[in-house]
Amino acid sequence: MWLQVAVCLSCLLLGAQGQATFLRANDRSGRCQYSFTVASPAEDSCPTAGGGPEMEALRSRLTVLESLVSRLVSGDAGAAGAARAAPDAGLPEAYTRVMGEKSQLQQDKERLGRQVQVLQRRAEEQRLEVERLLAKPCQPPSAAQKDQRPASDPAWQLGNPRYQEVKAEVTEVPAPKQIQEGSQDSTGCGELVWVGEPVSHRKAESITGKYGVWMQDPEAVGPYGPQMLWRINTVGAEVRELYGYEDMDQLSRGFPTKVLLLPEPVESTGAAMYRGSLYYQRRRSRTLLRYDLATESIAARRDLPHAGFHGQFPYSWGGYTDIDLAVDEQGLWAIYSTNKAKGAIVVSQLDPGGLEVRRSWETNIRKNTVANAFMICGRLYTVASYASPNTTVNYAFDTATGESRSIAVPMRNSYRYNSMVDYNPVQRKLFSWDNFHMVSYAVRLGKPEAN
Ligand code: CA
């Protein structure tokens, strides 16, 4: 549109200055061509290069024309700008809408926050419920069982216990190497080559004795003699009763001659008796305690460095059996695991006086794949299954060489829930607690048959 106006104005301007003709014709290529012809009032022919007054006047008029065209163009652009500015009128509305959406999102966030709190509260309630169920008392003994209670045994006076049982699956590890009975060395030590049939000495009287530990001090000192046997029923939230029997006959009859109340509670079945002291793991801790039988007090306490506890690295049956203490011909040992060992059995020799670790070995035997472990002559042995009636002693780790190997010494779990196995170097027997039963096994030591 502005081009047509410019052409008209050009005609007017030019017409005011002199006669002008406007021609339109096709050129040789057929395109439409427009041309002006203006007669000069002073010249009969075209001006020479460089122009003259007429050319200057023409330039001046063209400048005016360009100015007009430019204003027209800018006017159009201004109109277009106004058109673009029109949507700005909707900004308040958009702002209001966005603020509304923001408010809605805020409300959603608060609602989700409340839901998270509700779910967290439920999770906490469920955790407490699990703890309550774990601590729930089992059924009391039947009337028939009550009639069989020996009135003199304080084990019956415990009231309603609470339980810390943790189940785990049975693991059987095949052993490629068959060990045959051989001869002992000159010290009487040797490798375990045979485990006898289990002999049951006593069945625990109450549910508190489903799991437990029983012991005889291989280096007993006063006031108790070398025949004294000790036992702890380990089912309960606060296990603190230590029963003493003057010999095997009294244990079998269920008549304790001494009952001691330990000052701090016991965790699980890993306790050991040695040189007049009971060594045990304090409940829910990696703290080892030495309870002196003569003074009836804690004589030493020390954390077992980095040891897992309370279900972190138990044996396969669970039961918070993270730290297992053992005694053999070479002294006092702790069998456990650490985060660094990633669940593999670590065995440490302990100083019996102050409980310091003298030396440690890390094995390649995963603790949660075996049912229990014990030490004989500085060698660690593991039991494959706590529940299988026909299981094996399946690994041996020698602290003298730092090497472990698979073995397969048959062993029976008569009562199919073995919660404790330890060696007594004086009796040359394994002491075991198999589903309420205090059991022993004769063993033979020797050298394995060479392959
Ligand atoms: Ca053990």
Side-chain angles (χ1 to χ4, degrees), residues 315 324 372-373 421-422:
Y315 289 129
D324 188 12
N372 217 299
V421 184
D422 267 322

Side-chain angles (χ1 to χ4, degrees), residues 76-348:
D76 284 348
R84 281 198 303 273
D88 292 346
L91 271 178
E93 183 183 346
Y95 178 78
T96 303
R97 188 173 66 252
V98 168
M99 291 307 291
E101 289 173 356
K102 180 187 173 189
S103 174
Q104 182 63 44
L105 285 172
Q106 187 69 30
Q107 290 176 9
D108 289 347
K109 180 184 172 188
E110 290 172 0
R111 180 173 49 80
L112 290 171
R114 287 192 296 274
Q115 288 180 358
V116 166
Q117 287 178 350
V118 169
L119 289 172
Q120 285 175 336
R121 196 160 55 243
R122 286 181 185 165
E124 178 63 14
E125 288 170 359
Q126 299 221 340
R127 187 185 67 76
L128 292 173
E129 177 67 9
V130 168
E131 284 192 357
R132 190 185 65 76
L133 288 173
L134 285 173
K136 188 178 179 182
C138 288
Q139 293 297 317
S142 66
Q145 287 174 313
K146 287 177 181 174
D147 292 340
Q148 296 168 7
R149 292 179 177 184
S152 58
D153 193 336
W156 294 109
Q157 313 302 321
L158 294 177
N160 287 329
R162 292 189 292 170
Y163 304 101
Q164 49 178 250
E165 177 180 356
V166 178
K167 298 281 288 186
E169 67 271 15
V170 182
T171 303
E172 289 282 5
V173 180
K177 188 177 180 182
Q178 185 67 36
I179 306 297
Q180 298 293 329
E181 185 175 354
S183 59
Q184 299 173 13
D185 65 17
S186 58
T187 65
C189 266
E191 293 191 22
L192 179 69
V193 292
W194 176 83
V195 175
E197 286 293 305
V199 176
S200 181
H201 301 278
R202 175 73 187 172
K203 183 179 180 183
E205 304 82 350
S206 73
I207 189 65
T208 61
K210 178 173 173 61
Y211 319 129
V213 51
W214 70 296
M215 307 153 280
Q216 187 175 52
D217 191 340
E219 298 185 27
V221 295
Y224 305 103
Q227 301 304 312
M228 192 80 176
L229 289 155
W230 300 90
R231 110 183 219 203
I232 303 172
N233 298 339
T234 60
V235 179
E238 283 279 315
V239 176
R240 293 173 60 190
E241 296 84 9
L242 172 65
Y243 298 100
Y245 302 84
E246 63 181 23
D247 56 28
M248 190 69 87
D249 181 56
Q250 293 298 310
L251 175 86
S252 297
R253 296 168 62 187
F255 297 145
T257 53
K258 186 72 180 178
V259 181
L260 295 168
L261 192 64
L262 299 169
E264 297 182 44
V266 178
E267 181 90 311
S268 201
T269 62
M273 194 69 78
Y274 187 55
R275 294 182 179 173
S277 289
L278 173 76
Y279 294 84
Y280 69 97
Q281 176 196 353
R282 190 188 188 283
R283 178 165 165 76
R284 287 180 178 269
S285 77
R286 59 170 62 92
T287 304
L288 302 181
L289 299 173
R290 177 164 81 85
Y291 175 78
D292 185 79
L293 293 173
T295 63
E296 298 182 5
S297 62
I298 299 294
R301 70 169 60 232
R302 188 173 297 277
D303 279 6
L304 184 58
H306 312 298
F309 62 93
H310 205 66
Q312 193 175 2
F313 301 115
Y315 289 129
S316 57
W317 72 273
Y320 303 137
T321 48
D322 299 69
I323 298 176
D324 188 12
L325 299 170
V327 171
D328 72 354
E329 293 81 353
Q330 298 182 10
L332 179 66
W333 305 84
I335 304 162
Y336 60 104
S337 188
T338 64
N339 283 328
K340 180 174 171 292
K342 297 184 176 65
I345 288 179
V346 175
V347 56
S348 295

